[in-house]
Amino acid sequence: MFGWFQRLLPKSGDFFGMFERHAAATVAAAESLVSLARGEGRAEDHVRTIRDREHDADDIIREVLSAVRQTFLTPFDRGAITDLIGAMDDVIDEIQAAASAIELYEVVDFTAQQQQQMADVALRATRLIAKAMPMLRDVNRNGHDLHLLTGELVALEGEVDFLHQAGLKVNFQEQRANPDPVTFIVSREIYKHLEKIADAFEDVANEIDSLVIDHG
């Protein structure tokens, strides 16, 4: 009897819960990427896990976009919500892109220490993002800690840049000593994808900082 009245009441979507679920899926994907880069277990299993978690993340981002359209009262500006979840989704998309490249080029030997370290940094970054999500429930109280956390993410991106450059240099030196154009090109491609993950998590840091500035 009161259905019509309930439909007029302001709605409030569980955006924080969706952020947290998306971050958890990304952490799981990053964990599989680390195992893949270390040559632990079956590569196809890790690639499948990453793909499954990316599909989970896609489902969540669709939930977020639907909730943004239907919710009368949102915790942040609608644009800020879609920008944040979009940046987060880029992280897991880049993780999947790296895994897909590894699968496509049938990479089984990750002797390059820098590639393993870049995957390790990606995992550390996704865990920081997951740590940040519950803190967004009270940006005013957690603003300072969030700012420190985003500083850590930016520092990790710088660490990846260093590893990327060092890895490319080693790759070039090995190619010059023992010419193997195919291996050189494939290794460079893997480095490129791993570096893009860092670009994506730095974008997440920037979106979180924007929320702190606007709502802290």
Side-chain angles (χ1 to χ4, degrees), residues 163-176 191:
L163 291 168
H164 182 224
Q165 291 299 318
L168 290 179
K169 184 174 182 179
V170 170
N171 193 29
F172 173 74
Q173 291 171 338
E174 290 177 347
Q175 166 65 20
R176 188 166 55 182
Y191 275 115

Side-chain angles (χ1 to χ4, degrees), residues 183-199:
T183 299
F184 175 75
I185 292 170
V186 168
S187 182
R188 187 176 61 181
E189 186 74 6
I190 301 304
Y191 275 115
K192 180 186 74 174
H193 284 293
L194 291 171
E195 199 270 337
K196 284 185 175 181
I197 298 171
D199 291 340

Side-chain angles (χ1 to χ4, degrees), residues 87-107:
M88 292 171 63
D89 207 52
D90 287 343
V91 176
I92 196 167
D93 284 347
E94 294 298 346
I95 290 173
Q96 180 178 321
S100 295
I102 291 167
E103 180 183 47
L104 174 65
Y105 298 118
E106 300 178 349
V107 179

Side-chain angles (χ1 to χ4, degrees), residues 135-202:
M135 297 165 68
L136 293 178
R137 293 176 181 270
D138 192 343
V139 174
N140 190 49
R141 174 182 295 179
N142 298 319
H144 176 69
D145 290 338
L146 282 165
H147 184 66
L148 293 177
L149 188 149
T150 57
E152 291 184 59
L153 284 171
V154 172
L156 288 178
E157 193 276 337
E159 188 175 333
V160 169
D161 281 346
F162 175 80
L163 291 168
H164 182 224
Q165 291 299 318
L168 290 179
K169 184 174 182 179
V170 170
N171 193 29
F172 173 74
Q173 291 171 338
E174 290 177 347
Q175 166 65 20
R176 188 166 55 182
N178 300 290
D180 184 350
V182 173
T183 299
F184 175 75
I185 292 170
V186 168
S187 182
R188 187 176 61 181
E189 186 74 6
I190 301 304
Y191 275 115
K192 180 186 74 174
H193 284 293
L194 291 171
E195 199 270 337
K196 284 185 175 181
I197 298 171
D199 291 340
F201 68 64
E202 184 181 30

Side-chain angles (χ1 to χ4, degrees), residues 23-33 49-50 53 123 126:
T26 306
V27 170
E31 289 172 343
S32 289
L33 180 66
T49 296
I50 291 169
R53 298 296 75 75
L123 176 56
T126 60

Side-chain angles (χ1 to χ4, degrees), residues 12-86:
S12 178
D14 182 20
F15 292 100
F16 299 114
M18 289 183 273
F19 292 154
E20 290 163 17
R21 287 191 288 120
H22 192 289
T26 306
V27 170
E31 289 172 343
S32 289
L33 180 66
V34 167
S35 296
L36 185 61
R38 291 177 179 171
E40 299 172 349
R42 288 160 41 95
E44 55 267 36
D45 291 340
H46 299 312
V47 172
R48 185 183 309 110
T49 296
I50 291 169
R51 189 170 291 122
D52 288 346
R53 298 296 75 75
E54 195 276 335
H55 290 162
D56 292 342
D58 280 346
D59 290 340
I60 295 166
I61 196 170
R62 281 192 289 270
E63 287 183 50
V64 172
L65 296 178
S66 177
V68 165
R69 290 193 300 270
Q70 299 177 21
T71 301
F72 182 77
L73 298 174
T74 57
F76 309 122
D77 295 339
R78 284 171 170 77
I81 291 172
T82 56
D83 287 347
L84 174 59
I85 197 67

